[in-house]
Every structure is written in structure tokens, then in C-alpha cells.
Amino acid sequence: MSSGFIVSPLCKSYSLSCRSVFGRHHWPVVDRVRVGVKRLAADRWRARVPASLRCSLTATGSNRSTVPSSNIRDEVNRRSLVQETAAEAPQITLLYDGECPICMKEVRFLQARDAGRGRIAFVDIAAPDYDPTKYAGVTFEQAMGRIHGILPDGTVVKKVDVFRLCYEAIGLGWLWAAARVPLVKKAANAVYDFWADRRLQWTGRGTLESVLATRKAADGMPSEDDCSERCVIEWDDDEDDVQNDVQKGSGA
């Protein structure tokens, strides 16, 4: 008796056994998994969609229409608009110096990461139309001295806190997470103060006083060092006569 005569029936028997196992046990398991996934998806949908919207949506195959009414579509559109508006509301307003080349590298990086989502509002304090009254009263001089940020509730933050909140807004908060620790925050602010006091000179813009004087001249305001308008005293003819009378009286 050849070996092939014995092996062939065994293979056929094994194949029939596998078909029997897969036919009786495997496909029912898959069906149960598929039903479970559908139920889970339906439960999540019910949790997210209000009952007022679910009541008008019927299952496919029923006699009623499954097309949402105009009221339902309006409600869904309104909710979507509210969510989009909330997503576009800035988490922080960054006041930056648009004439600082180092600052602009950081601003461009934040803008690229923000990708137009509006999580950070960027305000150039070097712009001629910068108005402190619109930004929590932060003056040009204050913003030039240290970086400032404004939160939606009007709270003003400075220095390292600005960087930490900006990076949190773009999803990179872990880079500045250590700045929440008081000692780390104090050390980071000290390093930032050292850089902020010298950034104008390192970028070839002179001192803060010279930048302020240039800004005042551009705004048409007299500089603090220019006292030509404040030091000139003009005497009227009547006042000269009064002074002469006083001098004559004192001489007598």
C-alpha cells in the first residue's frame, strides 16, 4: 500500500473538519462581533445627538421618511456654527514686536503650527495703529520691554507664561510644562529678562529709549529729551510792563 493512498484520505478528512469548524463556530463569532460594533456605534450616536433630534430620525426600512426635517437641519447647522465659532476664538492674544527679527521667527513658527485655526491672535505692537486701549491698556513701552499676552477674560500675562500658554494653544504645551514649577519658572524668567534687556542692541536697533523716541517722533509727539517747546517762556507786553513797575518800586 502506497503512502499516498493513506495520506490523501487524511487530508480530505482534515479539510472537511476545518470547514465544519469554520462553518459552525467562526462565522457566528464574526456576526456577534459585527452586531456588537453596530450597537456600540448606535449608543455613542444616541449619547451625542439630543433626543429632540433622534425622535425625528427613523430606521431605514420603516414606512416613515428618514430624511431630517428642515428644523432638524437648521438645528444641526446652528450647533456646527457654534462649535466652529468656539474653535476660532483665540485662547491667547500675543503682543509681539514686528520689527524684531528674532521675535518674528518665533511668531512665524507659532502661526505655522496654528495653521489658521485662530487659537492665537497675533497683534503687532510696532504697527502705527496699535491702540493700547484695545489690549488691556498695555502700552507700547511696556510691550517693548517684556512680551505680553492677553487671555480671553482680560488677564494680562508676561514673560515665560506667554510662551507656555501659546505653546499649549498649538498643542505643544509639553515643551513648556516644566515652567509650571515655581523654581523653574523663576529661572526661566531670569534668563528671559537677560535676553529682553539686550535684544534691541543684539538686533542692531539701539536702546529702548531710542526706539521710544523714534516712536514718539513718528506719532508727532515731542520727545522727553527735546525740551525746546517746554523751556521757552514767552512774555507778553503787558507782563513786561508789570515787571518794569515792580523793579522800579523795589528800587525806590
Side-chain angles (χ1 to χ4, degrees):
M1 183 180 294
S2 65
S3 59
F5 180 79
I6 299 175
V7 173
S8 179
L10 292 176
C11 291
K12 291 181 180 179
S13 177
Y14 178 75
S15 177
L16 291 175
S17 299
C18 291
R19 291 180 182 178
S20 177
V21 170
F22 280 97
R24 293 180 182 178
H25 302 286
H26 181 70
W27 293 116
V29 171
V30 173
D31 291 338
R32 286 195 293 269
V33 172
R34 184 167 60 249
V35 172
V37 171
K38 288 183 178 180
R39 289 178 179 176
L40 180 61
D43 293 339
R44 291 187 175 181
W45 179 81
R46 292 190 185 96
R48 295 179 60 183
V49 179
S52 60
L53 300 182
R54 294 200 308 268
C55 63
S56 299
L57 299 176
T58 59
T60 304
S62 62
N63 295 328
R64 293 176 296 175
S65 174
T66 60
V67 178
S69 64
S70 60
N71 293 334
I72 295 176
R73 292 195 297 270
D74 293 341
E75 177 67 15
V76 172
N77 293 334
R78 186 188 66 82
R79 290 174 178 267
S80 300
L81 181 60
V82 170
Q83 293 177 354
E84 292 177 0
T85 304
E88 294 175 358
Q91 300 179 17
I92 184 173
T93 300
L94 175 63
L95 307 182
Y96 68 94
D97 180 9
E99 296 180 354
C100 174
I102 300 177
C103 305
M104 288 306 301
K105 289 183 179 180
E106 182 73 10
V107 169
R108 284 192 292 268
F109 170 76
L110 294 175
Q111 288 176 338
R113 290 290 303 186
D114 186 56
R117 291 173 293 184
R119 296 181 178 180
I120 304 177
F122 298 90
V123 177
D124 184 5
I125 61 172
D129 57 348
Y130 174 73
D131 186 1
T133 59
K134 297 181 180 179
Y135 304 102
V138 180
T139 64
F140 175 78
E141 181 177 358
Q142 292 173 338
M144 285 294 296
R146 296 293 183 269
I147 191 170
H148 285 66
I150 305 173
L151 303 182
D153 60 355
T155 303
V156 178
V157 293
K158 298 187 296 183
K159 302 182 182 180
V160 172
D161 285 337
V162 178
F163 295 102
R164 178 177 59 81
L165 293 173
C166 285
Y167 274 69
E168 288 179 358
I170 61 175
L172 297 177
W174 57 273
L175 291 174
W176 288 88
R180 293 180 176 273
V181 181
L183 291 178
V184 176
K185 178 180 177 180
K186 184 177 181 180
N189 279 328
V191 174
Y192 171 79
D193 288 338
F194 178 83
W195 175 82
D197 290 338
R198 295 161 178 79
R199 72 175 182 91
L200 294 175
Q201 296 158 349
W202 288 352
T203 55
R205 299 174 62 191
T207 61
L208 179 60
E209 290 74 14
S210 62
V211 173
L212 294 176
T214 304
R215 176 78 174 194
K216 291 180 179 180
D219 293 340
M221 299 174 59
S223 174
E224 295 181 357
D225 297 333
D226 185 11
C227 63
S228 59
E229 297 183 5
R230 294 183 287 108
C231 298
V232 174
I233 301 177
E234 297 181 356
W235 297 96
D236 296 334
D237 295 337
D238 296 338
E239 293 177 351
D240 292 339
D241 296 338
V242 172
Q243 287 183 349
N244 292 332
D245 295 339
V246 171
Q247 291 177 356
K248 290 180 181 179
S250 61

